[in-house]
Amino acid sequence: MAGKNLFEKVWKRHKVRTLPSGQDQLFIGLHLIHEVTSPQAFGMLKDKNLTVRYPSRTFATADHIIPTDDISRPLADPLAEEMLKALETSTQEYGIQYFGPESGKQGVIHVVGPEKGLTQPGMTIACGDSHTATHGAFGSIAFGVGTSQVRDILATQTMAISKPKVRRITVNGTMPEGVGAKDLILAIIGRLGVNGGLGYAYEYAGEAIDALGMEERMTLCNMSIEGGARAGYVNPDQITYDWLKGRPYVKDYDSMIRYAEEIKSDSDAFFDDEVVFNASDLKPMVTWGINPGQVVAVDEKFPVVESLPEEERETALRAYEYMGFAENEKILGKKIDVVFIGSCTNGRLTDLREAAAVARGQKVAGNVTALVVPGSQEVAVAAEKEGLDKIFKEAGFQWRLAGCSMCLAMNPDKLQGRQISASTSNRNFIGRQGSPTGRTLLVSPAMAAAAALAGEIVDIRKTGAAS
Amino acid sequence: MSVPIKKFSGKGISVRGNDIDTDRIIPARFMKCVTFKGLGVYAFNDERVDGNGKSKGHSFDDPEYQGNPILIGNANFGCGSSREHAPQALKDWGIRALLCESFAEIFAGNCSSLGMPAVTLSKSDIEQLQSFVENEPKMEISINLETMKVTAGSREWTASMPEAYRNALLDGSWDSTAVLSQAYTEIDRVAGELPYI
């Protein structure tokens, strides 16, 4: 009989029962909340006369609406202020730990959870945010949920969910210089499609994955949802344990490791599906369209619509129309107006180091506005300690305060009109970065920094400084 | 427990296009709110009006389709963000059920927890239905979740949806909090046995 994979083992430990509908009732070990998708859930609790069952298992921060230039209160935007107040009131009322802007611990929820050591191997984690899959980097199973589930988790610490199948994505070989986790996940989504992961959780495995640091594993797992998979994870190993050691919420390091070793996928584990990639084939990737699956390698041309699978053609036509691009054009040399470096995908210290290595001693092109937004206040402090802020500022980048910022532009950081951005975020959807006609090219931090200097998309493998 | 939903009938509204993401259903800038009430006016906002407030001719603005409660869409509907604001905005606009070729997973779950059937039909059936609705806005469509048949006029199509969502709608357990709350003893047992706090 085949062995079990991590997903199977963790699910079993957290399953409360099978519900009459056929779904499972799953216990959520760690619940993360932010200001956008939780206030309605607290409202629903009140309507139903319920309370928070396990307040010590929920943690909150504010990220989506936080301005990155001035966070003095009240916030300039009264709606944003109201949302922030609602979160402060609710967390206080129910005794939930809240990392607010004044705490020095605030940031993007998917950056804050891991850096506090809240995220640990073998947990079930949920958050009202689709990029919750990020936490899978630690060998936890982590889902994005809607507000009704946030309500359920607050009220019962459980949610109703059908167990997905598990696909193992094995990445063999070594990644070439200038290519990182962001390029890998974009290549995976490009090949399997934006809904290729529907009904699956992804296990990322193989030599190239084992070699990734924790931040890169987070980048990889983070974008699982962009490929349709609700969760993605990497088996925990020594790299995981070393990264977590000494973090505030890692109370018992040895028992954490014991449990992690227990829930790792068995060497003969069963998977519902397997896909293999070769890391040495990878190149820096850039999206050209309106979903993350519309992506090419930096030295490729945009696809001919007729050559695409039939089900992708209509979206491709829409993408060309929206982006103002044409078949067979090169991505190399595409002019950009804005660069955004940050987000739950690429707003961590190693991402900022990668971008700073490119920016060091250089200048941002005259027509480009370039923003660096640290993923959390702690990332900002660590980066400043290394002098990264100086490197960026001297090169003409704006060094901002922590938050989600222009990834989804719920705060004042927005594209204007038809501007094109080279962005380290996760979505190039129509209007995503705050202008209904704005355009987004998704890239790695190194590629974004290089684009800022050149004012256009360049190949980081040729311009150098990829560290 | 919530109300069982076994059948639903109403007029249709076609929203064409694959991969319609939740940012298109409700752009993030309209999510600055602490309740879901009133989101309907922003449903598909940027698809409906251009930068100068001029109508782009979206079906949600077509007088013929105002209040039609069955949205008929294409593949991978509701992909992207987990925001429940998306189905809530559709619901607030008046949508009560969705017929599509396929749905993104989180979106389908969100619809289910709001008691909105998110039902899939084949690509050719959806195209037929969309054409029917575009030609005859007043045509009544019936969705039967017990037989998983969709009918309009003399036509009938076979539909499907995940069994768990279907069961939850049929037995009225789609508003999940009440069902989940029945198991506090087992919940506490599972919590007590976890090797982490």
Side-chain angles (χ1 to χ4, degrees):
Chain A
M1 212 181 97
K4 292 199 169 7
N5 59 50
L6 177 144
F7 196 90
E8 186 87 23
K9 294 189 206 180
V10 174
W11 191 279
K12 195 170 166 227
R13 293 206 74 138
H14 292 81
K15 179 175 165 175
V16 174
R17 59 174 178 149
T18 306
L19 294 166
S21 68
Q23 285 186 304
D24 283 351
Q25 181 168 3
L26 193 71
F27 189 86
I28 299 302
L30 174 66
H31 183 211
L32 302 169
I33 60 173
H34 59 81
E35 76 283 13
V36 179
T37 56
S38 67
Q40 302 86 349
F42 285 111
M44 293 176 192
L45 278 191
K46 287 237 153 64
D47 290 347
K48 288 176 185 275
N49 211 8
L50 292 164
T51 187
V52 179
R53 180 87 180 166
Y54 283 94
S56 63
R57 288 186 182 273
T58 295
F59 293 82
T61 192
D63 51 12
H64 285 60
I65 51 96
I66 291 288
T68 58
D69 48 1
D70 178 8
I71 51 168
S72 55
R73 303 288 295 272
L75 299 177
D77 177 350
L79 294 173
E81 176 64 27
E82 188 189 356
M83 292 171 82
L84 202 52
K85 265 208 194 106
L87 186 64
E88 287 164 350
T89 310
S90 299
T91 50
Q92 206 162 26
E93 180 177 350
Y94 294 104
I96 292 166
Q97 176 67 52
Y98 169 57
F99 302 117
E102 297 85 12
S103 69
K105 296 172 180 172
Q106 169 267 339
V108 182
I109 189 98
H110 308 309
V111 177
V112 169
E115 80 186 0
K116 293 282 166 300
L118 288 165
T119 304
Q120 293 176 24
M123 287 181 166
T124 46
I125 302 178
C127 174
D129 189 284
S130 60
H131 293 110
T132 307
T134 311
H135 306 265
F138 294 81
S140 60
I141 59 182
F143 306 103
V145 297
T147 296
S148 294
Q149 278 90 46
V150 173
R151 170 202 66 200
D152 288 352
I153 298 165
L154 289 171
T156 70
Q157 205 59 37
T158 65
M159 62 182 282
I161 184 169
S162 297
K163 191 170 146 213
K165 293 183 282 187
V166 183
R167 170 183 289 150
R168 178 162 63 184
I169 297 182
T170 303
V171 189
N172 293 317
T174 314
M175 289 213 264
E177 190 74 8
V179 175
K182 182 63 163 290
D183 305 300
L184 171 60
I185 186 63
L186 286 171
I188 291 172
I189 299 164
R191 181 159 132 202
L192 301 179
V194 286
N195 56 5
L198 210 62
Y200 283 99
Y202 284 170
E203 171 170 320
Y204 300 102
E207 203 185 334
I209 306 298
D210 294 342
L212 295 177
M214 287 317 297
E215 285 88 348
E216 288 179 289
R217 292 181 189 181
M218 285 188 252
T219 301
L220 177 70
C221 292
N222 172 275
M223 286 186 67
S224 300
I225 187 67
E226 309 312 332
R230 199 164 172 185
Y233 67 90
V234 176
N235 277 295
D237 60 9
Q238 196 57 45
I239 294 175
T240 320
Y241 311 146
D242 290 347
W243 199 91
L244 283 170
K245 194 165 191 176
R247 294 195 181 262
Y249 283 88
V250 178
K251 303 286 186 211
D252 186 345
Y253 183 68
D254 294 333
S255 77
M256 180 193 81
I257 295 178
R258 258 198 312 280
Y259 176 51
E261 289 294 320
E262 199 183 302
I263 48 92
K264 273 165 105 154
S265 291
D266 297 331
S267 55
D268 60 343
F270 170 81
F271 294 94
D272 299 280
D273 190 39
E274 299 243 22
V275 181
V276 178
F277 281 78
N278 191 351
S280 55
D281 298 342
L282 292 170
K283 296 171 177 179
M285 304 295 284
V286 189
T287 61
W288 57 269
I290 55 173
N291 71 45
Q294 293 177 322
V295 63
V296 290
V298 66
D299 56 5
E300 287 176 354
K301 292 175 176 173
F302 299 155
V304 173
V305 174
E306 283 302 308
S307 72
L308 295 171
E310 209 218 317
E311 65 275 13
E312 293 177 19
R313 289 180 198 165
E314 184 238 303
T315 305
L317 286 172
R318 180 87 208 262
Y320 280 128
E321 187 197 335
Y322 181 79
M323 298 297 288
F325 295 168
E327 293 176 339
N328 273 323
E329 272 187 318
K330 284 197 261 183
I331 188 75
L332 210 58
K334 276 277 170 218
K335 301 274 180 246
I336 51 115
D337 308 296
V338 173
V339 165
F340 170 64
I341 297 172
S343 85
C344 60
T345 311
N346 282 130
R348 299 184 178 79
L349 185 59
T350 56
D351 300 312
L352 303 189
R353 282 183 188 151
E354 178 183 315
V358 176
R360 184 190 295 272
Q362 308 286 319
K363 284 280 174 225
V364 169
N367 55 330
V368 172
T369 306
L371 263 69
V372 183
V373 182
S376 71
Q377 294 179 332
E378 287 194 7
V379 166
V381 168
E384 285 164 9
K385 216 167 153 187
E386 293 180 16
L388 301 186
D389 59 324
K390 280 202 194 70
I391 295 175
F392 284 123
K393 283 191 274 195
E394 280 166 18
F397 289 81
Q398 299 175 28
W399 178 251
R400 296 294 192 92
L401 302 173
C404 297
S405 180
M406 206 189 273
C407 173
L408 87 167
M410 278 192 77
N411 77 343
D413 307 334
K414 297 177 199 301
L415 293 182
Q416 304 298 323
R418 299 251 305 146
Q419 279 185 326
I420 299 192
S421 78
S423 177
T424 68
S425 52
N426 41 56
R427 290 192 174 129
N428 50 344
F429 293 159
I430 289 174
R432 171 78 179 183
Q433 293 194 285
S435 161
T437 51
R439 297 171 286 174
T440 302
L441 311 178
L442 300 176
V443 289
S444 71
M447 285 284 286
L453 306 178
E456 60 184 42
I457 296 293
V458 293
D459 187 342
I460 189 66
R461 297 171 303 174
K462 307 236 163 86
T463 55
S467 62
Chain B
M1 294 292 275
S2 32
V3 191
I5 298 169
K6 297 182 176 173
K7 289 182 186 142
F8 184 78
S9 298
K11 299 180 184 76
I13 174 165
S14 166
V15 176
R16 284 189 184 260
N18 293 331
D19 306 312
I20 293 187
D21 58 70
T22 52
D23 275 84
R24 273 201 252 171
I25 299 173
I26 178 101
R29 63 183 188 281
F30 300 117
M31 301 201 309
K32 284 193 234 163
C33 53
V34 294
T35 92
F36 288 128
K37 288 191 187 79
L39 282 181
V41 292
Y42 304 118
F44 293 115
N45 187 82
D46 295 345
E47 310 267 290
R48 291 163 72 173
V49 289
D50 68 13
N52 306 315
K54 214 175 121 225
S55 172
K56 293 181 180 179
H58 192 274
S59 54
F60 267 49
D61 286 327
D62 190 329
E64 296 263 40
Y65 295 95
Q66 293 311 299
N68 288 15
I70 301 178
L71 186 151
I72 305 162
N74 300 97
N76 201 26
F77 192 87
C79 60
S81 154
S82 62
R83 59 187 72 159
E84 193 169 301
H85 303 68
Q88 292 276 10
L90 296 178
K91 192 177 176 193
D92 192 60
W93 187 86
I95 298 298
R96 292 292 177 271
L98 297 95
L99 304 175
C100 289
E101 289 170 43
S102 62
F103 296 93
E105 210 165 302
I106 301 178
F107 180 83
N110 284 341
C111 288
S112 173
S113 29
L114 300 182
M116 295 206 311
V119 174
T120 56
L121 281 88
S122 75
K123 185 176 163 64
S124 56
D125 292 350
I126 285 291
E127 268 167 19
Q128 245 180 29
L129 259 168
Q130 285 179 322
S131 302
F132 277 163
V133 165
E134 284 158 3
N135 293 324
E136 287 181 63
K138 300 274 178 278
M139 187 177 67
E140 195 81 1
I141 300 167
S142 294
I143 305 166
N144 187 327
L145 296 178
E146 286 177 310
T147 60
M148 287 314 284
K149 299 285 182 199
V150 172
T151 51
S154 59
R155 297 298 306 262
E156 182 180 271
W157 299 271
T158 301
S160 63
M161 73 186 300
E163 215 35 34
Y165 295 155
R166 179 172 165 249
N167 291 337
L169 292 167
L170 289 176
D171 71 13
S173 64
W174 50 270
D175 189 351
S176 40
T177 320
V179 181
L180 296 173
S181 308
Q182 289 162 359
Y184 278 135
T185 317
E186 288 133 295
I187 293 171
D188 292 344
R189 178 185 54 76
V190 170
E193 285 171 8
L194 287 178
Y196 63 88
I197 302 160

